[in-house]
């Protein structure tokens, strides 16, 4: 019976671990951003992306000056 019920420990499956970086949303440029421009809700959005800061960093990024220029959909990084 214990085998049929499985483990009481909840953990991600192997497939979920493989795809977690693809399905998590990252912060990207909504429009072109110039180096030194202030990052805001006006020029940022979140999308599925393989690189960049995770959406959980949204409030840390708002108000920060861009360390480089970004094109539309470029992943945002806080350090150049």
């Amino acid at each position: 019976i214990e085998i049929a019920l499985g483990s009481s420990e909840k953990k991600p499956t192997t497939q979920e671990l493989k795809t977690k970086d693809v399905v998590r949303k990252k912060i990207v440029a909504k429009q072109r951003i110039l180096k030194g421009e202030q990052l805001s809700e006006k020029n940022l959005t979140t999308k599925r992306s393989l690189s960049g800061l995770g959406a959980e960093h949204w409030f840390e990024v708002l108000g920060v000056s861009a360390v480089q220029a970004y094109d539309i959909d470029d992943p945002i990084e806080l350090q150049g």
Side-chain angles (χ1 to χ4, degrees):
I1 293 178
E2 289 179 18
I3 294 172
L5 293 175
S7 172
S8 62
E9 183 181 334
K10 183 163 174 72
K11 58 184 180 178
T13 64
T14 304
Q15 188 59 36
E16 288 172 329
L17 291 172
K18 288 179 185 177
T19 60
K20 75 177 185 177
D21 288 332
V22 176
V23 297
R24 284 192 175 160
K25 290 194 174 189
K26 309 289 187 188
I27 302 171
V28 299
K30 185 190 297 188
Q31 62 188 36
R32 292 196 70 205
I33 301 171
L34 302 175
K35 182 177 180 177
E37 187 176 342
Q38 187 174 7
L39 301 177
S40 68
E41 292 179 7
K42 197 170 166 183
N43 57 19
L44 298 175
T45 191
T46 58
K47 291 186 178 183
R48 289 183 176 174
S49 176
L50 291 176
S51 60
L53 287 172
E56 67 272 14
H57 297 285
W58 180 259
F59 293 105
E60 296 168 36
V61 170
L62 295 178
V64 172
S65 293
V67 296
Q68 65 184 52
Y70 296 100
D71 285 325
I72 294 173
D73 291 336
D74 279 354
I76 301 299
E77 300 288 344
L78 287 181
Q79 300 166 352

